[in-house]
Amino acid sequence: QVQVVESGGGLVQAGGSLRLSCAASGRTFSTYTMGWFRQAPGKEREFVATIRRSGWTGGSTYYADSVKGRFTVSRDNAKNTVYLQMNSLKSEDTAVYYCAAVSGVAGTSKYEYAYWGQGTQVTVSS
C-alpha cells in the first residue's frame, strides 16, 4: 500500500506561481509513475501532468494542453517526492489538485492510477 500526501496549495493572484508537493511512502518510489490531476466544482477530475518512473524513457513527462508551457512536473527519488511547479496561473486553474501513483508505467487516464492523495486546494483570484 502506498500513501501519497499533497501539500502547497493556497490562494494566489492570477499570473502568480505555486509549487505543489506530493510525498509518497514506500521504498520503491522510483518505480512508480506519478500523476497530477485536478477537479473543479461540478467538473470531472482531469489530467494535469505525469512523470514516469525513473529508468523508463528517462522519467519522461506529459502535460495537458491547458497547462503546457506553464506547469512543470519533477521528482526527487531520494525524497520520495514529486513536485508540480505552476506558473502564470489563471482563474481556470482553480481546483482541488490530486497526486496519484501507480507501479510501473501509466499514461494520462485517472483510471490507470491506483493510489490517490486527499487533494490540496488551489484558488486563483482574478
Side-chain angles (χ1 to χ4, degrees):
Q1 187 78 6
V2 174
Q3 293 185 330
V4 294
V5 179
E6 307 95 337
S7 62
L11 174 65
V12 63
Q13 289 188 332
S17 298
L18 277 176
R19 188 176 81 156
L20 304 183
S21 299
C22 171
S25 63
R27 290 185 286 182
T28 58
F29 176 76
S30 64
T31 67
Y32 280 74
T33 291
M34 303 298 295
W36 286 98
F37 294 79
R38 67 186 181 186
Q39 188 167 16
K43 293 189 176 182
E44 293 286 323
R45 189 170 300 188
E46 65 175 7
F47 167 75
V48 175
T50 188
I51 182 166
R52 285 185 168 169
R53 67 181 190 186
S54 301
W56 183 264
T57 65
S60 52
T61 57
Y62 301 89
Y63 298 93
D65 288 343
S66 59
V67 307
K68 203 171 292 183
R70 300 188 298 122
F71 290 12
T72 302
V73 60
S74 61
R75 66 191 300 159
D76 185 338
N77 290 333
K79 296 182 178 180
N80 278 23
T81 301
V82 63
Y83 304 97
L84 184 69
Q85 178 67 44
M86 306 186 294
N87 299 327
S88 302
L89 282 161
K90 306 175 181 179
S91 57
E92 51 263 45
D93 295 317
T94 295
V96 177
Y97 283 70
Y98 296 91
C99 179
V102 64
S103 179
V105 177
T108 63
S109 171
K110 59 187 176 185
Y111 300 109
E112 298 180 80
Y113 292 80
Y115 307 104
W116 292 82
Q118 292 300 306
T120 186
Q121 177 71 46
V122 172
T123 303
V124 183
S125 64
S126 57

